Amino acid sequence: MWLAFDLDTARWPWLRLPPQHAVVVEKYQYFSSMTAGWALGLLGPGVFTALTEVTWDCGEGRDGHSPRGYCELETDGPRDIRFNSRFTDRSGAQAFHISGRGHVFPDGDFAARRAARHNPPSASIAPHDAFLRKITNEAGRWRADCLVGRVNGFHPAHRFHTGSGDHVNAAQLYDCALQVAAQAAGHGAIRCTGGSAEFKRFTELDQPFALHAEPSTRADEWRFLVSQSGRETARLALRLATDESGARTAVTPPR
């Protein structure tokens, strides 16, 4: 179904980011899938969703944030929904294409069980945007220790992140990965040209987690394993580039 988007930056602070920023892509994925799901009767009151896998590619359209898009949804078994969405910029050029899968399940006692798992706000939380507490490089293996909390993780305490406040969202994990890549590669101005992610379990708020850089077969791809309390929670892959002299130049991970 066709969708039109509200581009009010006061209501949606992440729209202050560049149009193809990974955080922006995640927000378009979430709101398009949820809006289409409710409109088509696939989602409703008392139903929770969890993103399990996603892939996206950015196009050449960078003329402002996308005012429109098209989202296709289809059921994949009794509890999964697949999505396939395309978004255009103001000129009509393709801004990005997103596809993936989410898990859908009834509330039951899920909300109560999630509330019981919430950690108290951390007294040592860093202010504002500082999710990264430490970055290390041991024999070429990059690692970032991170902490996202209810105090600093969401707007208005954070400049642009919004979300459920229940767990560390996909956009916050992408943000951490982008910060690691920018510092490790020594590039302050990088942009994400595409990526993918697989989510295996919730990454909890107010509890330390780590991003471990992993090798990739692509020169422009940064891969990360996300772990918390000794368990893998997600895997991320971001394709990064700079625009130098009008030409896209890959940002290569350190080897």
Side-chain angles (χ1 to χ4, degrees):
M1 65 180 299
W2 286 101
L3 300 168
F5 299 101
D6 175 11
L7 301 182
D8 183 356
T9 57
R11 181 176 297 175
W12 312 114
W14 38 267
L15 286 170
R16 300 188 183 102
L17 297 170
Q20 293 181 333
H21 194 286
V23 169
V24 174
V25 171
E26 190 275 338
K27 297 305 180 185
Y28 272 89
Q29 176 272 311
Y30 173 79
F31 285 111
S32 62
S33 298
M34 292 297 292
T35 301
W38 277 72
L40 296 173
L42 299 176
L43 303 175
V47 174
F48 284 85
T49 62
L51 181 65
T52 54
E53 59 185 65
V54 63
T55 300
W56 74 95
D57 293 286
C58 296
E60 295 303 317
R62 286 189 277 168
D63 182 14
H65 290 90
S66 177
R68 66 188 70 85
Y70 188 83
C71 179
E72 296 177 334
L73 297 180
E74 63 177 2
T75 56
D76 186 7
R79 292 290 180 88
D80 285 357
I81 292 180
R82 285 193 171 275
F83 55 87
N84 187 20
S85 306
R86 297 181 182 275
F87 306 87
T88 57
D89 69 3
R90 291 180 298 194
S91 71
Q94 181 167 303
F96 38 84
H97 168 234
I98 315 171
S99 61
R101 182 203 307 256
H103 189 61
V104 180
F105 49 98
D107 182 0
D109 63 348
F110 175 76
R113 287 188 288 111
R114 286 296 304 153
R117 289 184 59 87
H118 290 167
N119 297 290
S122 173
S124 61
I125 196 79
H128 308 304
D129 300 352
F131 293 163
L132 272 59
R133 309 179 84 187
K134 182 174 66 172
I135 298 179
T136 57
N137 179 12
E138 297 182 2
R141 296 180 63 87
W142 289 88
R143 170 192 168 109
D145 295 320
C146 311
L147 182 65
V148 178
R150 290 173 186 80
V151 174
N152 76 329
F154 302 93
H155 188 74
H158 192 281
R159 289 181 301 129
F160 54 80
H161 277 299
T162 60
S164 66
D166 176 79
H167 57 276
V168 180
N169 295 328
Q172 292 163 327
L173 293 177
Y174 300 161
D175 190 9
C176 290
L178 287 170
Q179 291 182 50
V180 174
Q183 292 193 41
H187 286 276
I190 60 175
R191 67 184 185 92
C192 186
T193 63
S196 62
E198 179 183 4
F199 302 97
K200 300 187 175 183
R201 53 177 52 87
F202 289 122
T203 303
E204 303 292 351
L205 293 164
D206 293 301
Q207 182 175 331
F209 63 94
L211 269 66
H212 310 264
E214 296 187 318
S216 173
T217 57
R218 292 183 56 124
D220 63 343
E221 184 178 70
W222 293 64
R223 302 184 70 88
F224 295 94
L225 181 151
V226 184
S227 67
Q228 187 175 62
S229 300
R231 299 198 302 175
E232 179 181 332
T233 63
R235 286 181 179 269
L236 315 175
L238 302 179
R239 298 195 303 276
L240 304 179
T242 61
D243 285 328
E244 298 176 354
S245 302
R248 180 182 294 180
T249 303
V251 177
T252 304
R255 303 298 181 185

